[in-house]
Amino acid sequence: MRTRTLATSLVLLSALSLTAACSSGSDASSGTSSADARPGAAPTASPVRSVDPSKIKGLEIVSDSSEQSSCPFAASYPDVPGAEAMTAAMKKDVEERLAGFRSGVCNGGSGGAEGRELNVSHQFLVASGDVLGVRLSTQDHSGAGSGLSTSTYWYDGKAGASRKALGLVADGSQDDFIAALKDQLKGREGIDAAALDTTFSDPASRTAALDDMAFTTSGGLRVTLDRGEVGAPAAGTYMVTFPKKMITPWLSGFGQRVQRQTMTPDRSLDLGAEHIPTPAVPTHTASGDDDTDCKKVTCIALTFDDGPAAPETATLLTSLAQYKARVTFFTVGQNVAAHPELVRAEARAGHEVGNHSWNHPDLTKLTPEQVASQLNRTSAAIKAATGKAPTLFRPPYGAVNAQVKATTTLSPVLWDVDTEDWKYRDADKVARTVIDKAQRNSVVLMHDIHPTSVAAVPEILRTLTARGYHFVTVSHLRATL
Ligand code: ZN
């Protein structure tokens, strides 16, 4: 089970809430004023209460990503025990997006244009009592209006059912709710009155358009409409926040429970799961600093990106300990937040923990502020988990430029052996590739989110050890060359 101390929990929580505050923008409209619609406002501006995902028992983050700049995609969604129907809904949506992107961009399809990238990231909205809420944010530069779309997914543990966002509103109140929503949107800049009527004309299109609704911490309901749904794509995202007093009479029973759990969450989540896995966390402890002298012996730096992942990272740590091998993990912030105990286990075993951004975007396509946020949030989560801030970062897709470098004091690390393990998912092939391409002082790229890559590691360690290799961290390699 998790062994995080209270002090560390508090540090992590404050890190999470600080970063949430930094990215949440103004909350001036929620709760007190009447509805608010602001074209161009970022959907992440919703003042949701930050949820500590490491408290969700049995949580697994399902991740899929490439590390190739010609096919840049990264997607993740949570798998929470008991909420299988909701996980299935997210899986279906994410896999459809990924399949479309991969067939168009990665496999030599017609869409291989410069600048295309798909990124799906997740955020917990509520995870307490018998209620679970998650928002998936999709940045799809290949889409027709290019940009961001968001959806919220809800699970009702009492009913044992997945819910659409519109399920927060009682069936009998939906007409009143929609009429009030249209009133708030009409006359706003960029709103197309005809599109507004069409979008909300029948139940199916209402449900599809109103797929992002969540409560504010003061009990208001915030509705987010993606680009192009009710106005010109250029007008951006619209948000409407109904104050608590106005929305409460219209809520369904489920909506009322979500509202209550958003405002004053219970201490724990119970969705009635029959079985909650409790993956073991390896307890190997490094015996002192590594004194390997890479000037005298043959060194190699294995690196594992995109984790941590349960249970794959734990399995990997056990293999590494058997060979006293030290490696470098380039962790993704949203996975560090979910599994700080695994990151702590990495550091305790003498491995290096580096920064691989919060949710794996191409950093060269972001503003300097966004790059700083991606790296700083992740460094804070790593420090909260291990007590030590990282000094290295690996840019997703190896994409780095002078502007990215100027935003951070972290040192970039690329690679010279690319296993492309994310592409073919074959343990024997991963092992063969590393063994064939390994050279003295190589930096090898692998991913510990894939069971096939983790399964390749014992063969790699066995063969390269027999050939005289010593497995060291990237910083150790750099320091002793
Ligand atoms: Zn990566």
Side-chain angles (χ1 to χ4, degrees), residues 65-67 305-306 356 360 396-397 447:
S65 50
S66 92
E67 210 69 79
D305 291 12
D306 297 6
H356 195 38
H360 211 280
Y397 316 111
H447 296 82

Side-chain angles (χ1 to χ4, degrees), residues 231-278:
T237 299
Y238 289 88
M239 283 185 186
V240 176
T241 305
F242 292 95
K244 179 172 184 271
K245 215 169 154 183
M246 186 175 178
I247 195 67
T248 301
W250 293 338
L251 296 177
S252 63
F254 175 62
Q256 288 173 17
R257 281 186 284 131
V258 175
Q259 184 190 45
R260 194 164 62 243
Q261 291 295 343
T262 308
M263 296 176 71
T264 50
D266 290 354
R267 294 175 68 85
S268 61
L269 172 70
D270 182 4
L271 300 178
E274 285 179 14
H275 174 68
I276 296 179
T278 52

Side-chain angles (χ1 to χ4, degrees), residues 125-197:
L125 302 171
V126 184
S128 59
D130 55 11
V131 168
L132 180 67
V134 171
R135 172 179 285 122
L136 295 188
S137 299
T138 302
Q139 188 77 54
D140 184 356
H141 290 294
S142 66
S146 110
L148 193 64
S149 62
T150 61
S151 300
T152 55
Y153 298 79
W154 296 97
Y155 191 77
D156 180 347
K158 189 177 172 188
S162 187
R163 303 277 187 218
K164 301 272 189 194
L166 199 51
L168 299 172
V169 177
D171 288 348
S173 301
Q174 285 188 3
D175 288 343
D176 289 343
F177 170 69
I178 300 277
L181 182 65
K182 282 162 76 172
D183 273 354
Q184 292 299 329
L185 289 166
K186 269 176 196 161
R188 301 278 172 169
E189 193 183 334
I191 284 285
D192 177 341
L196 206 56
D197 287 336

Side-chain angles (χ1 to χ4, degrees), residues 70 99-116 142:
S70 61
F101 183 81
R102 294 185 77 161
S103 67
V105 174
C106 305
N107 297 335
S110 57
E114 186 83 0
R116 293 199 154 193
S142 66

